[in-house]
Amino acid sequence: MNITERLEQYVKIHTTSDENSDTFPSTARQTDLAKVLVEQLKELGLRDAAIDPNGYVIAHLAANTDKDMPVVGLLAHMDTAPAMSGKDVKPRIVHYEGGDIALNEEKNIVLKAEDFPALEDVVGLDLMVTDGTTLLGADDKAGIAIIMAALQEIIEKDIPHGELAIGFSPDEEIGRGMDHFDVEAFGADFAFTLDGSRLGEVQYECFHAVSAKVDIQGVSVHPGSAKNKMINAIALGMELDRMLPEQMRPQYTEGYEGFFHLDQFHGSVDSAEMAYILRDFDAEKVQAMEEILRAAVEFLNKKYGERITLTLQESYRNMREKIEPHMDTIELCVEVMEKMGIEPVIEPIRGGTDGSRLSWMGLPTPNLFTGGMNFHGPYEYIPIQHMEAARDFLVALLAEMEKRA
């Protein structure tokens, strides 16, 4: 099975996670993919491949060298984002010669070169896309396909390597991917997530992340007799949002700039709920953002009476602090890419990965590219040649580690 066939098979399996679920994994359908992966790992010779009690697929490939080497972990996540449907995905391959791509002529869904200038970089390549009614799910089923294809090549060609630990996790997209991961049982000394985007990405920095839940209690009165009585919970929420720094919204930030993002807002006159995410690469700056939000809530509670409850919770931390002692591995990634003619792209993740959680759990885990673009929406695509480059890079990296051991 080649890498394209693997990805086509994986994206057709519905694995969307559910942030409103209280179970783990949040959806049973993620196990459908897990079962397929266990069987394929066993076919490759990883006899201990299994789904653990918490829904993680775990397997190990024994070293084929007698050198004393650290155990390297390779990880990707099985779920797809709830931001758009991941059911009945219809993948197809388009040989891209430039211009727009009609994803769905009947519904006039078009991947426009004007809107997505990165398409200029993939002219002449074969892109996997959908029919525009679902996301593709290359985030992160491309990562899974790359790991599986790399294992296949290492085993078939008997390429020297140290012991490898393989992990495929549920619920990464809803921030719970590592909630029940057993780092000790996994047994890796250092790991990589294959969950990046464009060709050449090597990422060892991510946001420091906090979630904020705002519960608002209004006073509902018939609008005809509401004067001096009604307190509209929706309007109160809008007032709160206006008090936050306008320039610190996602649409105005880039690079190392942090933001307040109003992610959800539901309600009525009587009550409303808001969900924010606070993001920055500096933990102290995120703490300052928390204080801004607390101050705004305190002001409005004095103005309207105690009507707003704010709950803050840390989601994940910047992994840089935990990976910096291992920068020799990052430098090796860059060296191997340059030898292969891949331009390394060292930049922070404006988001998080399972690796950010793992790094703070004692397993340093930077992130590597898959080649996918426009994740979480209908315009998602991935060049097959960039997936193949990720596979080849991974094989070359592991082989180089063995040479230098």
Side-chain angles (χ1 to χ4, degrees), residues 110-251:
V110 180
L111 176 56
K112 295 183 178 180
E114 180 182 1
D115 296 334
F116 300 100
L119 283 167
E120 294 178 3
D121 299 328
V122 296
V123 173
L125 303 184
D126 300 309
L127 312 184
M128 186 179 291
V129 298
T130 72
D131 67 353
T133 63
T134 68
L135 48 67
L136 176 61
D139 180 12
D140 186 28
K141 291 171 182 176
I144 297 173
I146 290 164
I147 291 171
M148 296 293 287
L151 288 172
Q152 181 177 337
E153 183 156 337
I154 287 169
I155 293 166
E156 289 181 352
K157 296 183 179 180
D158 196 27
I159 297 171
H161 61 84
E163 182 179 347
L164 302 178
I166 310 302
F168 300 130
S169 59
D171 287 351
E172 189 270 355
E173 294 290 0
I174 58 173
R176 305 176 197 167
M178 293 295 107
D179 280 4
H180 301 283
F181 190 78
D182 190 335
V183 172
E184 185 175 352
F186 190 57
D189 299 299
F190 192 91
F192 297 96
T193 49
L194 275 291
D195 194 17
S197 185
R198 60 182 170 143
L199 180 70
E201 282 184 346
V202 182
Q203 300 166 318
Y204 61 92
E205 299 178 81
C206 65
F207 277 139
H208 187 95
V210 168
S211 63
K213 182 181 178 184
V214 180
D215 293 296
I216 306 171
Q217 187 62 52
V219 177
S220 182
V221 179
H222 190 285
S225 55
K227 186 173 182 179
N228 299 325
K229 299 174 186 175
M230 177 187 288
I231 299 178
N232 190 325
I234 299 172
L236 188 49
M238 294 167 63
E239 185 173 352
L240 170 63
D241 190 60
R242 288 194 300 270
M243 293 177 69
L244 303 180
E246 176 71 20
Q247 75 278 9
M248 290 184 68
R249 301 181 191 274
Q251 60 267 40

Side-chain angles (χ1 to χ4, degrees), residues 41-113:
L41 286 164
K42 288 181 176 179
E43 289 171 4
L44 288 172
L46 283 72
R47 301 302 177 195
D48 72 336
I51 303 171
D52 81 359
N54 292 306
Y56 298 93
V57 174
I58 304 296
H60 296 84
L61 179 64
N64 60 358
T65 176
D66 57 5
K67 294 181 179 180
D68 184 16
M69 295 183 62
V71 179
V72 177
L74 302 175
L75 301 111
H77 63 87
M78 297 179 289
D79 66 317
T80 59
M84 190 171 188
S85 174
K87 184 179 181 181
D88 297 326
V89 174
K90 298 177 178 63
R92 64 188 177 97
I93 303 296
V94 174
H95 184 71
Y96 184 58
E97 294 293 352
D100 298 344
I101 300 175
L103 300 177
N104 193 315
E105 293 185 3
E106 180 182 347
K107 297 185 178 181
N108 195 31
I109 302 173
V110 180
L111 176 56
K112 295 183 178 180

